[in-house]
């Protein structure tokens, strides 16, 4: 064991945090709306950009961004759902994928026009600068914070959906929306808010990622495909499944970067193939 | 639940009359085009994409399978053809066959993995597999990474046809395209095609009728991948290079766009769609990234209110079968 290995493990854990937050948002949206949100990567990027704008245009710091950016992107998401996505109800699920793919192209294209493809720096907030010496490695505070905060967000989401009354309504509406509607619950509103919430989770990941990966228009374009592979591996059967799969795959990727760097870009996809061959429904999938 | 590409399935009468007329019209236009003085390069490029889109449409339009990684067949065939022609000095016809065969083998392997899941999962798996391949091609030496395989010699097809000559090359491309198109038409209108359509409409029912649906889906996937590969191999001679853009997932998105614009599940839709999108890219090239935005807008409008596509709407309006 040495420094480089720990460093790669940490990178893996951080990427895993993003994978978990993003696949969790996808799972929440998929559960209620049966839509694979292809725009997820673009909205993750928007989350980072909103943080950048808040800082540079309004002078609002990181902490405000962590609160306001998911809120803003979430509102944008509800708008998309209300004006367009909800019209696809009853159509083949593939149309949802195509529509959100269109959203992704538009959002990414607009940002590329104004910001090119290069990265904009976003400073680590004062409170989280520096790091600890753990004896065997140096742990930058901000990186520890990212892992901790995303873990907490994931667990809070899990609690909300699996352990609260609101979550029970959500799960019931996933099973039988007509019945839940008959009980006087506004299911369309719930769908809209669910999309907004899933999108807000992507924005949280975006804000967390801004100080580490810089703010780039294409930052979400490639990560979203890896997240899709994560989703296929996990199977989107359960909320906890997405969280665990997300973190684990990040770590696997980090380890690969240390032991066999050539394969680090492809390891998640290779794992996906293996899982599909052995367990087509995914690791936590409910249906084949 | 309304299945994807449901609308053409409700076309009034199943007659091949309008299809034959449209086919003859298309062939005549393509054959006579060089006489008009239009620069053939644009049309050749569009024809490569048209064949690519027709192959893609065979899966989505007739089998209900949305492959979001079809660029891997286009790109792989392109790399293989370019490599065997440039480095191993294969004659063009053999180069094209080798490229298409490589794509076919790839389709067999990826198809075996991808058909294990359905619907959106199928789309995500094909996308992930194509991204896997993208990274492989980025790293293997024979593709020359970001540079791609440049300056592929055109050579003489069958020892007779000089592909350096744009008009000769043009007719070769037209013949290959028509060949691929006719093959797809035959496949769609064969008993195999009928089973494929029944799988699109209701897979459990097809299974209960005794069809091993996975075999049909895999066969369709291989056929589609091979023909997409044929398009990629042909494209090498038109562009004289093979590059990473053809394997990137944005290319997979573009072929979806072409098919959606033209009309999912129609015979001629992908051809029209390919011409529209290639022309758009050509003429809007000066707008930079706004082209992406426009493509996104077309996606949104197409999915929300134009699901039949240009050809589908036209056919529905005139009650034709296209």
């Amino acid at each position: 064991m040495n420094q480089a290995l720990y460093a790669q493990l940490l990178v893996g854990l951080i990427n895993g945090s993003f994978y978990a937050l993003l696949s969790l948002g996808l799972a929440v949206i998929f559960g209620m709306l049966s839509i694979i949100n292809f725009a997820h990567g673009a909205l993750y990027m928007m989350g980072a950009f909103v943080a950048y704008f808040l800082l540079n245009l309004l002078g609002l710091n990181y902490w405000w961004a962590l609160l306001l950016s998911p809120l803003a992107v979430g509102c944008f998401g509800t708008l998309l759902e209300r004006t367009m996505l909800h019209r696809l109800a009853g159509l083949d699920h593939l149309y949802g994928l195509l529509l959100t793919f269109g959203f992704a192209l538009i959002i990414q294209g607009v940002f590329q026009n104004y910001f090119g493809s290069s990265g904009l720096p976003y400073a680590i907030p004062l409170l989280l600068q520096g790091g600890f010496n753990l004896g065997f490695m140096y742990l930058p505070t901000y990186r520890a914070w990212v892992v901790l905060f995303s873990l907490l967000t994931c667990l809070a989401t899990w609690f909300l959906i699996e352990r609260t009354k609101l979550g029970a309504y959500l799960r019931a509406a996933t099973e039988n929306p007509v019945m839940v509607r008959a009980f006087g619950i506004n299911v369309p509103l719930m769908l809209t808010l669910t999309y907004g919430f899933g999108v807000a989770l992507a924005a949280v990941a975006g804000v967390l990622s801004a100080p580490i990966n810089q703010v780039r228009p294409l930052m979400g374009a490639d990560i979203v495909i890896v997240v899709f592979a994560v989703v296929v591996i996990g199977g989107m059967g359960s909320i906890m499944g997405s969280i665990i799969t997300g973190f684990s795959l990040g770590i696997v990727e980090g380890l690969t970067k240390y032991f066999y760097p050539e394969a680090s870009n492809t390891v998640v996809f290779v794992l996906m193939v293996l899982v599909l061959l052995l367990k087509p429904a995914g690791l936590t999938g409910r249906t084949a | 639940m309304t299945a994807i590409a449901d609308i053409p399935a409700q076309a009034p009468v199943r007659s091949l009359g309008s299809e034959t007329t449209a086919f003859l019209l298309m062939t005549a236009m393509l054959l006579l085009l060089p006489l008009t003085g239009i620069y053939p390069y644009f049309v050749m490029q569009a024809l490569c994409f048209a064949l690519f889109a027709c192959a893609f449409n065979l899966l989505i339009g007739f089998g209900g399978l949305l492959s979001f990684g079809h660029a891997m067949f286009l790109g792989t065939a392109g790399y293989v053809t370019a490599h065997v022609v440039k480095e191993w000095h294969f004659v063009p016809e053999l180069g094209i066959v080798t490229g298409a065969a490589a794509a076919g083998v790839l389709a067999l392997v990826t198809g075996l993995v991808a058909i294990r899941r359905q619907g959106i999962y199928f789309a995500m798996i094909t996308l992930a597999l194509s991204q896997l391949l993208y990274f492989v091609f980025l790293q293997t030496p024979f593709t020359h990474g970001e540079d791609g395989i440049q300056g592929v010699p055109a050579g003489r097809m069958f020892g007779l046809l000089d592909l350096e000559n744009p008009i000769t090359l043009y007719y070769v491309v037209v013949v290959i395209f028509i060949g691929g198109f006719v093959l797809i038409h035959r496949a769609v209108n064969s008993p195999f095609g009928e089973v494929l359509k029944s799988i699109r409409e209701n897979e459990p029912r097809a299974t209960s009728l005794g069809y091993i649906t996975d075999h049909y889906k895999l066969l369709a996937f291989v056929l589609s991948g091979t023909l997409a590969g044929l398009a990629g191999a042909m494209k090498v001679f038109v562009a004289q290079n093979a590059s990473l853009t053809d394997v990137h997932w944005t290319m997979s998105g573009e072929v979806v766009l072409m098919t959606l614009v033209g009309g999912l599940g129609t015979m001629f839709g992908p051809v029209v769609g390919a011409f529209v999108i290639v022309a758009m890219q050509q003429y809007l090239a000066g707008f930079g990234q706004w082209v992406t935005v426009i493509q996104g807008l077309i996606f949104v409008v197409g999915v929300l209110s134009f699901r039949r596509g240009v050809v589908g709407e036209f056919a529905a309006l005139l009650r034709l079968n296209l």
Side-chain angles (χ1 to χ4, degrees):
Chain A
M1 293 290 235
N2 58 34
Q3 291 277 345
L5 175 60
Y6 288 125
Q8 287 305 345
L9 263 178
L10 182 63
V11 171
L13 208 53
I14 286 169
N15 284 334
S17 312
F18 299 141
Y19 296 161
L21 279 171
L22 294 174
S23 67
L24 181 60
L26 281 179
V28 170
I29 292 173
F30 183 76
M32 275 298 282
L33 292 89
S34 290
I35 281 174
I36 279 292
N37 188 28
F38 211 112
H40 222 62
L43 294 160
Y44 157 81
M45 174 270 287
M46 257 179 107
F49 263 98
V50 172
Y52 178 84
F53 293 144
L54 286 173
L55 184 70
N56 291 291
L57 299 179
L58 302 176
L60 293 171
N61 65 18
Y62 178 82
W63 304 103
W64 280 106
L66 209 46
L67 177 74
L68 293 179
S69 169
L71 215 59
V73 177
C75 286
F76 179 69
T78 52
L79 196 73
L80 290 182
E81 204 284 335
R82 209 74 297 262
T83 52
M84 288 178 270
L85 266 172
H86 83 107
R87 296 183 194 202
L88 299 183
L91 288 175
D92 194 290
H93 299 162
L94 300 173
Y95 284 118
L97 182 92
L98 297 182
L99 182 60
T100 49
F101 180 65
F103 292 163
L105 289 183
I106 296 173
I107 298 170
Q108 257 158 227
V110 167
F111 278 88
Q112 267 185 293
N113 268 310
Y114 289 110
F115 300 95
S117 289
S118 52
L120 304 167
Y122 189 95
I124 294 175
L126 268 179
L127 194 65
L128 299 172
Q129 283 174 0
F132 318 97
N133 195 345
L134 298 179
F136 55 91
M137 72 174 293
Y138 179 78
L139 176 65
T141 316
Y142 185 74
R143 288 167 196 249
W145 160 257
V146 167
V147 176
L148 194 73
F149 187 80
S150 47
L151 197 60
L152 286 177
T153 312
C154 286
L155 291 178
T157 306
W158 171 81
F159 185 82
L160 181 74
I161 292 174
E162 301 286 340
R163 291 286 181 272
T164 64
K165 197 159 189 182
L166 179 68
Y169 288 148
L170 273 174
R171 282 177 287 130
T174 309
E175 295 292 324
N176 192 340
V178 180
M179 178 79 87
V180 174
R181 248 183 134 156
F183 280 116
I185 290 161
N186 189 341
V187 175
L189 179 70
M190 249 163 57
L191 291 174
T192 308
L193 293 180
T194 304
Y195 189 76
F197 179 73
V199 160
L201 283 175
V204 171
V207 178
L208 288 175
S209 135
I212 296 179
N213 298 321
Q214 295 200 319
V215 182
R216 288 179 301 118
L218 289 179
M219 64 192 281
D222 286 332
I223 197 174
V224 76
I225 301 173
V226 181
V227 173
F228 282 175
V230 171
V231 160
V232 173
I233 294 171
M236 278 208 305
S238 74
I239 297 294
M240 199 44 107
S242 315
I243 303 172
I244 295 171
T245 319
F247 275 101
S248 328
L249 285 169
I251 293 170
V252 169
E253 208 179 48
L255 288 176
T256 315
K257 215 170 267 174
Y258 177 75
F259 288 106
Y260 188 55
E262 290 82 0
S264 60
N265 283 327
T266 51
V267 65
V268 175
F269 303 117
V270 174
L271 274 176
M272 182 193 78
V273 171
L274 287 177
V275 168
L276 279 169
L277 291 177
L278 300 173
K279 210 168 175 299
L283 297 177
T284 58
R286 283 180 192 143
T287 48
Chain B
M1 185 74 54
T2 317
I4 204 152
D6 55 317
I7 302 140
Q10 294 160 3
V13 200
R14 185 77 204 150
S15 82
L16 295 178
S18 50
E19 255 178 29
T20 314
T21 315
F23 177 75
L24 291 177
L25 203 67
M26 179 178 80
T27 313
M29 268 163 64
L30 288 176
L31 289 177
L32 296 178
L33 189 109
L35 303 178
T36 62
I38 295 176
Y39 186 53
Y41 180 76
F42 161 75
V43 183
M44 284 194 272
Q45 209 194 2
L47 282 177
C48 293
F49 285 111
L51 181 57
F52 181 33
C54 286
F56 168 80
N57 183 47
L58 172 66
L59 266 187
I60 174 85
F62 300 101
L65 296 164
L66 173 60
S67 160
F68 227 112
H70 240 53
M72 64 180 153
F73 306 120
L74 182 83
T76 303
Y79 273 129
V80 170
T81 302
H83 185 75
V84 297
V85 167
K86 192 182 175 192
E87 305 291 332
W88 297 354
H89 309 294
F90 277 29
V91 287
E93 60 274 22
L94 195 58
I96 290 179
V97 170
T98 316
V105 172
L106 179 69
L108 181 65
V109 176
T110 50
L112 277 171
V113 175
I115 58 165
R116 295 178 146 247
R117 297 302 304 270
Q118 296 166 341
I120 330 186
Y121 277 98
F122 178 84
M124 289 197 288
I125 292 161
T126 46
L127 177 63
L129 288 172
S130 82
Q131 187 72 354
L132 167 72
L133 219 71
Y134 173 81
F135 284 117
V136 170
F137 283 137
L138 185 64
Q139 288 172 345
T140 46
F142 95 93
T143 59
H144 302 287
E146 305 275 352
D147 298 336
I149 304 179
Q150 303 283 343
V152 179
R156 279 175 176 271
M157 200 173 220
F158 304 115
L160 291 169
L161 306 166
D162 181 12
L163 299 185
E164 301 277 354
N165 179 343
I167 298 296
T168 315
L169 181 64
Y170 174 79
Y171 280 110
V172 167
V173 169
V174 168
V175 168
I176 295 178
F177 166 75
I178 297 283
F181 186 88
V182 169
L183 185 65
I184 291 171
H185 184 263
R186 279 308 308 142
V188 165
N189 291 297
S190 68
F192 163 73
E194 296 301 329
V195 178
L196 205 58
K197 283 177 232 168
S198 79
I199 293 173
R200 175 189 73 192
E201 297 302 323
N202 193 337
E203 187 168 350
R205 200 165 188 178
T207 310
S208 75
L209 286 172
Y211 294 108
I212 304 172
T213 54
D214 276 1
H215 289 183
Y216 285 89
K217 289 201 280 189
L218 186 62
L219 188 57
F221 198 75
V222 172
L223 187 59
S224 171
T226 311
L227 287 168
L230 182 63
M234 190 162 89
K235 197 165 165 291
V236 168
F237 291 96
V238 174
Q240 297 193 345
N241 66 44
S243 70
L244 277 174
T245 24
D246 287 355
V247 223
H248 197 250
W249 63 265
T250 45
M251 182 60 82
S252 299
E254 258 165 44
V255 74
V256 182
L257 184 64
M258 289 170 188
T259 314
L260 188 68
V261 165
L264 284 167
T266 62
M267 266 325 285
F268 294 90
V271 183
V272 173
F275 273 86
V276 170
I277 300 299
V278 173
M280 203 185 84
Q281 285 170 341
Q282 191 108 344
Y283 293 112
L284 301 182
F287 291 91
Q289 286 305 324
W290 288 117
V291 178
T292 320
V293 179
I294 295 167
Q295 288 188 341
L297 284 171
I298 298 176
F299 253 108
V300 170
V301 173
V303 171
L304 285 180
S305 50
F306 200 57
R307 278 187 289 277
R308 286 172 176 157
V310 177
V311 171
E313 292 288 347
F314 187 71
L317 196 70
L318 300 180
R319 303 184 139 266
L320 293 174
N321 192 2
L322 289 171

